[in-house]
Amino acid sequence: MNERLSSLQPFFTPNGVAVIGASRDPSKLSYGVVRNLVDPERGYGGPIYPINPKADEILGLKCYPDIASVPDPVELAVLIIPAVAVIGAVEACGRRGVKAAIVISGGFREVGPDGVAREREMVEVAKRYNMRVMGPNGIGVIDTHTPLNTTFVKGMPPKGNIAFLSQSGALCGGIIDWTVGHGIGFSRFLSVGNEADVNETDLIPFLAAHDATKVITLYLEDVKGGPAFVRELRDAAARKPVIVLKSGRTGSGQAATASHTGALAGVHASFSAACRQAGALEVESVQALFDAALAFAYQPLPRGNRIAIVTNAGGPAALAADALETSGLFLARTAAETQAMLRTQVAPDAQLGGPIDLLGGADEKTYRLALDAALADPNCDGVLAVLVPQVLVNPVAVVEAFGAAAAAQADQPKPVVVCLMGDVSLEQASATAHQLQLPAYTFPEDAVRVFGALWQRKQSEERLAWGVDQLVPSEAERLIAARGRRKVQETLMLAHAAGHHALDAAACRELLEAYGIRTPQAFLTRDPSDAVRFAEEIGYPVVLKIISSDILHKSDIGGVIVGVKDAAAVRSGFKTILTRAKTAHPAAQIRGIQVQEMIEGGQQVIVGIKRDPTYGPLVMFGLGGIYVEALADVSFRLAPLTRPDAEDMIDEVRSARLLQGLRGAPPADRVALVDAIMGISRLAAEHEEILELDVNPLMVLPAGHGAVAVDARAILAP
C-alpha cells in the first residue's frame, strides 16, 4: 500500500482511539460514540480514551483532561466539540502524534464564509503534522472487521463485504438502521462530511485495496477530484464492482449555451459519462444501490444474458419475462432434454418451455429439481427463482432448496436471484436467503433489474481492458498529431488576437482537418462573381452559407441555401443570404459567403464538445440536422475516448439504427464515423481553449466512402 493510502489506515484500524468532547450525558452525541466503541459484542478491542476535563470516567473508562495527557498508543481522535474549539484541538492532536482525526462537529463550510475560513485553517494545521482529517460535519466511520464504530448512530451492521461511502451523514444513519433490521452485512461505512481533507477520490482506491470489501457503493452530492476521480473510479471498477448514486441529476439554473451540445449536456451528463467509461454502475435510487450491491456480493456474474425463470405462479413470471428485454436480457428457452427430464418429475400441467412454471403446489423438492435442471441447461446463464407463498408450502424450506442448488454448482457457477413476493409470511424466508448469500427481492421487476446489473458488470469487465494508456500511437501517428496540434494552436491564436471568441464554419475547417476529419471542398468570398467561379470549379450543385462568427445558427435566419444548380442561382442566392443576415443581425460582422461542395447520399449525425468545469471535455454524439435538440436522442463520453467508448456512444443512440441501412438504404460507414468521433475527442482533450464545438451535420456516407464534416462552429474561452 502506498503512502497516500496508508495514511488512511488509522481511520479504520487504529492503535488507540481518543474521543475529544466525550460526555457523561446519554442524550449527547459524544456519549453515543463512546457507547459504540465499548459495545460488549461489537466494540473496539484497543485502548479508548474519553477526553473530558470535568469527568473522571465514562461508561467505565478513565477520562483524561486533554489529548496531551493520553498515554500511548493513540492514532485516531474523534472530535465532537464546538466548531470554534476544533482548530485548537487539531493542533493539540498534531503535537501529540495523532495520525488521523474524525471531525463530527458542524459549523464549518455549510454555515457560510466564516465556516469556510475555519475549515481551511483546520486543514492547514493538520497538514503541518502530516495528519489526515475526515469531515467535518460527518458522523464518523465503521469497520465491521476491525471492529470499530466511531459513529453516534445506534446499532452496527453485521460483518459483510459491501462498503458504503456517503457524503450525507443523515443518509448513513438511516441505512445503518435498515441494514441492522434486514441482517445485511457490510465491511465499511464512511461518512465523509464536508470533505475538507479526505474525499471520495482518496477513499475509492483505499476501498478497492481492502480484501474484505467485494463491492463498493457510493452516495455522492458533488465530486471534487474531477479527472483524478474518473481515473480512481476506473481503477477501482477494474478490481471490483462499484455502484454509484448521485443527487443533483437535474438543474433548472443551467446557463444558456450557443451550441446544440451545450444545450443538451445537462448538469449530470458528465458524471454519467464518467461512470460509463470507468465501468461503474450508476443507479437512480437508494433501493437500486443496495439491491445491486447484494447481488454483486452474493452471486457470480452471468456468462451470457439468457435468464431462466422458475416459479410457482404464472403472473409474476410473466411480469419478469416482460422486464427482461428492457434490462438487456432474454428469457432462456430450456433445451428439449431438460424439458423431457422435468416432465417425468413435476405436475402434468406444469409449463416447461419458457418460464418453468411448477404451479402452486410446488414444494422444496420440486423447486430443487427444477433449479438443478435449469442451472445445468446450456441455454441458461442464470436463474430467477420466484416464490409466491402458498398455505401448504414451507417458504424457508424452499429458500433452503434455492441455496442448496446454487451451492451445488461446480465449475463456472451461474447466478441465482430470488423473488419472494410477499411480506409477513416470508420474513424468515428472506432472512434465510441472506444467510445463504442469495439476493432476495419482493417484486419480479426489481429482481430482473438486478440481473441486468450483473450482466452490465460482465460486459464492462471486458471493456475495462481497453485503457486509454494502452492506445499507444505509432511514431508516424505522433508526428501527424504534433503537426495537427500546431495548426490548431495557430488558428486559435489568430482568433484570440482578433478578439474573436467564436469560430465560424470556415475557421473550424482548419481545426477539423488538422485532426484528420474530412471536410467538403469550399471557398470563401465577398464577391458574387467569385462565388460563381468557385461554384463552377467545384461543380454544381453547391451550397451557399453565410460566414460570420456573430451568426452561429445559420439555418435559423435562412443563411444556408442548398442545391444551387447554376450561375444565376448562385448570384441570386448570394444576394438573398446577405439580405437575410443583415436583417436578422444588423451589427454582425460578415466575413463573406462560403461556396461549398454539396455532399449527398449520407446520413446526418452530430458530434460535439462541451467543456465541463469539473471533468473536462465532454463529447456528444447523436443523429444530426436541425432536430437534434428537439429529439434529444444523444450520448455522451469524456475525452479522451477509446474506440470502444466511441462504439458504445453510437450504439446508445436509438435512432442510430438508421446507420445500419433500413428499407434498402446502404449501411453507413461506421468505421469512418468512429474515426471522426475519435478525432474530435483528441481535439477536445488537447485544446482546452475550445469550450464548445458542434460538427453538425457530419455526413456519414455509405460504407467505404468515409464521413464528411459539412458544417461546424465553436466557442472559445475568453
Side-chain angles (χ1 to χ4, degrees), residues 252-505:
S252 58
Q254 187 174 358
T257 56
S259 68
H260 291 301
T261 304
L264 288 164
V267 293
H268 195 65
S270 296
F271 182 81
S272 290
C275 288
R276 290 191 187 97
Q277 285 171 268
L281 174 67
E282 186 185 9
V283 297
E284 296 185 354
S285 69
V286 175
Q287 178 182 338
L289 184 75
F290 292 110
D291 280 354
L294 281 177
F296 287 132
Y298 289 170
Q299 290 294 302
L301 299 179
R303 283 169 282 172
N305 59 353
R306 303 164 301 171
I307 307 304
I309 300 173
V310 178
T311 182
N312 66 345
L319 292 172
D322 286 342
L324 285 171
E325 188 171 347
T326 59
S327 296
L329 306 167
F330 294 97
L331 176 63
R333 301 292 178 179
T334 50
E337 296 81 1
T338 302
Q339 295 183 48
M341 185 276 292
L342 287 173
R343 180 60 62 199
T344 65
Q345 304 291 325
V346 301
D349 295 332
Q351 303 298 310
L352 306 176
I356 301 175
D357 187 354
L358 303 173
L359 306 181
D363 60 10
E364 63 271 18
K365 294 180 181 178
T366 307
Y367 263 112
R368 173 64 192 274
L369 180 74
L371 256 72
D372 283 342
L375 290 169
D377 193 311
N379 295 339
C380 163
D381 298 306
V383 174
L384 170 58
V386 181
L387 172 65
V388 176
Q390 307 291 340
V391 174
L392 301 178
V393 176
N394 180 349
V396 173
V398 171
V399 170
E400 289 173 343
F402 295 164
Q409 299 180 85
D411 296 336
Q412 295 186 313
K414 301 173 183 179
V416 175
V417 173
V418 176
C419 172
L420 301 177
M421 197 166 181
D423 189 8
V424 175
S425 65
L426 294 174
E427 286 183 356
Q428 187 56 48
S430 180
T432 300
H434 289 306
Q435 292 168 9
L436 297 174
Q437 300 233 308
L438 292 172
Y441 310 97
T442 302
F443 298 109
E445 297 89 346
D446 295 331
V448 169
R449 185 179 65 240
V450 162
F451 253 125
L454 292 171
W455 175 236
Q456 184 176 330
R457 171 65 186 175
K458 177 64 175 178
Q459 293 175 297
S460 71
E461 283 187 342
E462 299 172 359
R463 294 192 185 97
L464 287 171
W466 283 79
V468 174
D469 56 350
Q470 293 176 289
L471 302 177
V472 180
S474 66
E475 183 62 28
E477 289 172 329
R478 281 195 288 269
L479 289 173
I480 293 171
R483 286 196 293 269
R485 284 193 293 273
R486 286 196 298 270
K487 180 61 177 175
V488 169
Q489 285 294 345
E490 291 170 5
T491 301
L492 297 177
M493 289 175 62
L494 289 173
H496 282 299
H500 295 156
H501 299 306
L503 296 183
D504 54 41

Side-chain angles (χ1 to χ4, degrees), residues 234-254:
R234 184 184 182 95
D235 289 346
R239 302 176 67 174
K240 56 191 63 173
V242 180
I243 314 169
V244 188
L245 170 63
K246 187 177 184 300
S247 61
R249 291 189 294 273
T250 62
S252 58
Q254 187 174 358

Side-chain angles (χ1 to χ4, degrees), residues 52 65 89 134 137 190 248 280 309 330 337 349 360 374 404 420 442 491 529 546 560 580-581 638 689 718:
N52 183 335
M134 191 174 297
N137 194 34
L190 300 81
I309 300 173
F330 294 97
E337 296 81 1
D349 295 332
L420 301 177
T442 302
T491 301
S529 297
I546 190 73
V560 179
R580 290 172 178 171
L638 294 170
E689 306 98 316

Side-chain angles (χ1 to χ4, degrees), residues 447-572:
V448 169
R449 185 179 65 240
V450 162
F451 253 125
L454 292 171
W455 175 236
Q456 184 176 330
R457 171 65 186 175
K458 177 64 175 178
Q459 293 175 297
S460 71
E461 283 187 342
E462 299 172 359
R463 294 192 185 97
L464 287 171
W466 283 79
V468 174
D469 56 350
Q470 293 176 289
L471 302 177
V472 180
S474 66
E475 183 62 28
E477 289 172 329
R478 281 195 288 269
L479 289 173
I480 293 171
R483 286 196 293 269
R485 284 193 293 273
R486 286 196 298 270
K487 180 61 177 175
V488 169
Q489 285 294 345
E490 291 170 5
T491 301
L492 297 177
M493 289 175 62
L494 289 173
H496 282 299
H500 295 156
H501 299 306
L503 296 183
D504 54 41
C508 284
R509 286 186 69 213
E510 298 180 3
L511 274 61
L512 298 174
E513 290 178 350
Y515 278 78
I517 299 160
R518 178 180 156 198
T519 64
Q521 187 179 8
F523 298 92
L524 180 64
T525 180
R526 301 176 64 89
D527 187 316
S529 297
D530 284 344
V532 171
R533 179 167 57 84
F534 292 145
E536 290 174 350
E537 181 177 336
I538 293 170
Y540 293 108
V542 295
V543 179
L544 302 180
K545 297 180 181 180
I546 190 73
I547 298 297
S548 169
S549 58
D550 297 321
I551 304 174
L552 295 179
H553 297 283
K554 296 182 287 295
S555 296
D556 292 352
I557 65 159
V560 179
I561 300 177
V562 301
V564 180
K565 297 181 179 179
D566 53 38
V570 170
R571 293 181 183 279
S572 173

